[in-house]
Amino acid sequence: MTHQRDRIHEYIAIHPGEHFNALTRRLDLAPGQVQYHLRELQNQGRVVELPLYGRTHYYTPEYDAWERGAIAVIRRETARDILFCVLEQGPSRPNAVTESLGIARGTLEWHLNHLTEQNLIEKHRDANNHVTLVAAEPIETARLLEEITPSLSDRMIDRFTRLVDNLLAEGS
């Protein structure tokens, strides 16, 4: 085993769900070098990859499929905020979440698509077809929220996206 491969594995173990570009930046390694060592780690069964929503995320094998998908989404600050809101307030209407978080409805829907796809949020409909958002796995989700923190670059991208969405919503 090489020193760089050990560094990559250790970083992934501490930061599950980190994506490829973040690995190269944080470890200050060339992309080709990271690709080579990741491939070797995968061949050894020490790392699992999950391509999701335009990024490839990396995990150590102790995370199951649900956890891997959930962690990839939880790394986004707005998705985290939505989860916290629904966990704290309980079943919530989408408008209550947008008002509470100060986000555009389109932003909420974009994140809800991923949150529902990864079974973190469920959309329940009443007889009048009104939607209520409910945490699908509240105990497991709360555990992951405590364990996973989005990187600074992920938070900055999310905040920029929120800013643009809010400016567009105000202009329409």
Side-chain angles (χ1 to χ4, degrees), residues 6 13 15 19 29 31 56 63 83-84 96 101-102 104 116 118 126 129 137-138 141 156:
D6 287 339
H15 303 94
H19 57 89
L29 296 171
T56 302
Y63 293 96
L83 283 168
F84 276 122
L101 298 178
T116 56
Q118 297 307 318
D126 65 15
N129 209 28
E137 301 285 339
T141 300
M156 297 307 290

Side-chain angles (χ1 to χ4, degrees), residues 111-168:
H111 286 283
L112 281 177
N113 286 339
H114 297 164
L115 290 164
T116 56
E117 188 174 290
Q118 297 307 318
N119 198 33
L120 290 161
I121 295 279
E122 294 174 350
K123 291 181 176 181
H124 294 183
R125 297 185 183 276
D126 65 15
N128 295 322
N129 209 28
H130 295 128
V131 173
T132 300
L133 306 175
V134 178
E137 301 285 339
I139 294 169
E140 285 300 306
T141 300
R143 179 185 62 79
L144 288 177
L145 283 167
E146 287 179 20
E147 184 179 324
I148 305 301
T149 304
S151 67
L152 177 62
S153 61
D154 287 340
R155 291 192 335 251
M156 297 307 290
I157 290 167
D158 228 29
R159 289 178 188 186
F160 177 76
T161 304
R162 275 175 137 169
L163 174 67
V164 170
D165 285 346
N166 286 333
L167 289 173
L168 291 173

Side-chain angles (χ1 to χ4, degrees), residues 48 64 91 98-99 128 149 159:
V48 177
D64 66 27
T98 60
E99 289 174 18
N128 295 322
T149 304
R159 289 178 188 186

Side-chain angles (χ1 to χ4, degrees), residues 13-31:
I14 294 169
H15 303 94
E18 193 68 274
H19 57 89
F20 180 81
N21 290 338
L23 284 171
T24 60
R25 280 193 309 267
R26 305 260 182 333
L27 297 173
D28 195 27
L29 296 171

